Amino acid sequence: MGTLLETAEAIEAMPDEAFAADSATVRSTLLHAGEFIMERWLQAQGMQPTDELHEGFRLLALQRQAACADATFNACRESCRELVYQCNVAEAANDTHERAQHLRLAASVTKHLALFIDGKLENRALGEFCCSSRPLRAQDAEAARRIAPDRGTHG
């Protein structure tokens, strides 16, 4: 994974002019990095990563596959969608500086996604903060009430 993070950091550090000549390769590299990250999680769970597309992107299909198996993957849905969005906006940009900004943002999102998945590989409970984890929040609320009794009864 260090290589993936190094690649994303190198993209973030590229001068604007470098994106003018090679933005399609950068875009492809970032999207494939996102796919690799999601494949890594699915394989670690003993699942065969899909080759299907969702909304025209394999990354979104992989995220969807992961979320069907584990609701905590709803936490990274927006990161995957943001990566696709930033790459698409960069592709449509006519201005080199604008294209560079969007690809740098895409690289940053790629790093975030990689760190999230790495964290989930270490601690499977990471990401259990979304609305699908109501029982967890209910347990936390009950524990907090036991620690700090009702404060509304003070004079």
Side-chain angles (χ1 to χ4, degrees):
M1 174 154 102
T3 305
L4 191 142
L5 290 176
E6 290 169 2
T7 299
E9 288 172 353
I11 290 170
E12 287 177 319
M14 288 172 58
D16 286 3
E17 300 76 37
F19 291 103
D22 213 12
S23 65
T25 300
V26 171
R27 179 180 179 272
S28 178
T29 297
L30 292 170
L31 289 171
H32 282 97
E35 291 173 7
F36 175 79
I37 294 162
M38 295 304 296
E39 287 171 349
R40 186 170 171 222
W41 168 262
L42 290 164
Q43 290 167 343
Q45 305 313 305
M47 298 172 69
Q48 177 64 37
T50 185
D51 287 325
E52 294 179 21
L53 303 179
H54 182 70
E55 297 179 28
F57 292 89
R58 183 167 180 253
L59 174 61
L60 299 179
L62 290 166
Q63 186 282 323
R64 188 176 179 156
Q65 180 185 13
C68 285
D70 181 347
T72 64
F73 264 86
N74 287 324
C76 74
R77 176 181 51 222
E78 293 310 312
S79 295
C80 291
R81 295 186 76 75
E82 185 68 17
L83 175 55
V84 168
Y85 172 78
Q86 292 299 334
C87 286
N88 284 344
V89 172
E91 183 179 32
N94 293 322
D95 176 72
T96 299
H97 178 69
E98 182 183 354
R99 182 176 298 121
Q101 284 183 303
H102 288 286
L103 288 173
R104 285 188 191 107
L105 281 169
S108 180
V109 172
T110 300
K111 287 186 345 186
H112 172 79
L113 191 58
L115 293 170
F116 177 77
I117 299 302
D118 233 29
K120 280 199 72 65
L121 286 169
E122 286 182 33
N123 178 0
R124 191 173 167 90
L126 185 68
E128 292 181 359
F129 53 81
C130 67
C131 58
S132 66
S133 65
R134 285 192 181 119
L136 293 174
R137 290 196 317 266
Q139 290 171 2
D140 289 344
E142 180 59 33
R145 277 192 289 277
R146 284 188 299 237
I147 293 169
D150 187 10
R151 295 176 191 206
T153 60
H154 299 296

